[in-house]
Amino acid sequence: MSAPSNTVLQGRNGVLPAYARQDVTFVSGDGSWLVADTGERYLDLVAGIAVVGLGHCHPAPLAAAREQLDQLWHTSNLYWTEPMAELAERLSARFGGAQAFFCNSGTEAVEAALKYARKATGRPGLVALHGSFHGRTLGALSVTGQPAKRAAFGPLVPGVTFAKPNDVESLVAAAPADTGAILLEPVQGEGGVRPLTPEFVAAARTLADELGALLVLDEVQTGIGRTGNFFCFEQLGVRPDAVTLAKGLANGLPIGALLVSDEAAGAFAPGDHASTFGGNPVACAAACAVVDELTDELLAGVRAKEVLVRAAFPDARGRGLLLALDVDRPAAEIVAAAFERGVLVCTAGERTLRLTPPLTITTDELEHGLAVLQEVLP
Ligand code: PLP
């Protein structure tokens, strides 16, 4: 393991220990590679946990962000800016007709979705799934079905019920008549990379319609090409009422978005919701470039690389390049062993390894990463 510089060591003491970080400091990145302050290079199969989809310092969002930095950084949402409007137009086109609320993270996009659903339907009930992850603020945590993450922070937002993933009976039983939203991740990311079946999502669509609730898909992790389509819901054959996005949207600049379908639009009026930095022109300019880069060819490449991973690891679970492997020991041990061989992977639970490489990773790079994983896996 590399030795950090004195400055970094001193600075580390000033950071609240909310994360279990590896003992490495990165100073630059290029494509699928990260470079540490020691000069060592690491093949990045994490990509900032499904964020840096186009790879580090991709020229398109880099140029767009640089150009925007020279022009205008911030105006507040009292005014319009071009990048925000252009991003809204692009996302609407990809969705097939939607309006956007921009914010700065996935958690905030979920918060916006919860408020939107309550206002749109006039119903407070929120139905989510056991094992889900929707963020850490109190609202988003309230719909996160992981007791360990919630335990120390109650009381949480009332009106939330949980159902078992891929269990339609459980979903129906968990949804009261006053349900305002059914909130699902198409693939539970933090919860272990567990895909929902198309049948279950279709049943949730039907149930939401019967109840007069919104079907909200949290695509913070699955969206922006991660699963091989721009939105994962395209693979599931449903049209949601709303979608949350963040992570990959600006390839690493902070941004989040709630998209509301044209059919479900109209609930928010001026003053209902806001975010000082939401729609930031630099982040939106980068995001426009990201969306433009996600061509059919790139998305087909994601699906082809999924096949490559599955050939090496037939038990891999997930969709596209959001994949996981169950291991028979603490996954952190495998993460450490791969790190020693210059490959970064992360976990999704105690005994689950998660692979979320850049969507642009080359076949050679991916094959190298897979070979290292085969070496370190028992
Ligand atoms: N929703 C999902 C599905 C996520 O995977 C995450 C983060 O991992 C979030 C919400 C929270 O996003 P953020 O960390 O950007 O607030």
Side-chain angles (χ1 to χ4, degrees):
M1 209 151 287
S2 57
S5 71
N6 283 343
T7 322
V8 165
L9 270 182
Q10 280 159 19
R12 285 182 185 183
N13 292 330
V15 178
L16 273 176
Y19 300 95
R21 298 176 203 265
Q22 279 184 262
D23 187 13
V24 62
T25 300
F26 289 115
V27 293
S28 66
D30 179 16
S32 304
W33 297 85
L34 281 171
V35 181
D37 57 355
T38 55
E40 280 163 281
R41 283 163 59 78
Y42 294 82
L43 179 64
D44 186 5
L45 303 187
V46 179
I49 316 185
V51 168
V52 191
L54 299 182
H56 298 282
C57 293
H58 187 281
L62 180 63
R66 272 192 181 144
E67 196 179 318
Q68 189 59 41
L69 273 171
D70 282 337
Q71 250 175 289
L72 182 66
W73 289 28
H74 181 78
T75 60
S76 90
N77 281 304
L78 296 173
Y79 313 102
W80 292 98
T81 62
E82 287 170 353
M84 182 192 54
E86 284 167 12
L87 180 58
E89 195 186 0
R90 279 167 170 77
L91 292 175
S92 174
R94 294 283 183 148
F95 187 94
Q99 293 186 332
F101 175 86
F102 291 113
C103 49
N104 313 286
S105 68
T107 301
E108 287 173 74
V110 169
E111 293 290 340
L114 301 182
K115 283 180 68 177
Y116 191 89
R118 282 188 169 175
K119 177 109 195 284
T121 63
R123 296 162 193 215
L126 302 167
V127 180
L129 297 183
H130 292 299
S132 63
F133 184 83
H134 298 291
R136 304 285 193 151
T137 56
L138 288 175
L141 188 61
S142 301
V143 287
T144 288
Q146 298 193 39
K149 292 190 167 58
R150 303 156 58 96
F153 303 105
L156 298 177
V157 173
V160 182
T161 48
F162 292 98
K164 289 186 200 148
N166 292 331
D167 183 332
V168 175
E169 226 173 274
S170 167
L171 185 69
V172 171
D178 70 354
T179 300
I182 299 176
L183 175 64
L184 310 173
E185 294 159 88
V187 179
Q188 290 191 333
E190 302 304 304
V193 187
R194 299 182 190 283
L196 295 183
T197 61
E199 297 72 29
F200 180 75
V201 181
R205 173 71 278 173
T206 305
L207 181 61
D209 289 340
E210 284 168 6
L211 292 168
L214 300 190
L215 177 66
V216 181
L217 295 184
D218 183 348
E219 294 236 25
V220 163
Q221 193 150 163
T222 54
I224 321 295
R226 177 54 52 189
T227 66
N229 284 82
F230 189 84
F231 298 104
C232 186
F233 73 72
E234 296 168 59
Q235 299 176 0
L236 300 172
V238 294
R239 183 171 162 84
D241 300 303
V243 165
T244 52
L245 296 173
K247 284 190 179 282
L249 184 52
N251 210 45
L253 287 182
I255 190 168
L258 167 68
L259 300 185
V260 176
S261 74
D262 283 346
E263 298 80 0
F268 270 176
D272 276 339
H273 201 48
S275 164
T276 291
F277 293 118
N280 172 269
V282 180
C284 286
C288 284
V290 169
V291 174
D292 291 347
E293 287 295 314
L294 292 179
T295 58
D296 288 346
E297 196 187 345
L298 188 143
L299 295 168
V302 172
R303 298 192 292 268
K305 286 174 244 186
E306 172 186 2
V307 172
L308 211 65
V309 178
R310 288 186 186 280
F313 294 105
D315 293 338
R317 188 173 60 231
R319 284 179 179 270
L321 288 175
L322 172 56
L323 294 167
L325 310 170
D326 285 335
V327 291
D328 68 352
R329 63 199 63 195
E333 288 178 18
I334 312 287
V335 170
F339 180 80
E340 288 304 324
R341 288 165 176 77
V343 173
L344 305 178
V345 287
C346 70
T347 62
E350 176 71 16
R351 284 171 189 260
T352 303
L353 275 188
R354 178 170 25 169
L355 306 181
T356 53
L359 309 179
T360 51
I361 191 169
T362 66
T363 303
D364 283 354
E365 288 167 339
L366 187 55
E367 280 173 348
H368 167 64
L370 294 172
V372 168
L373 282 182
Q374 276 170 329
E375 256 171 63
V376 298
L377 279 167

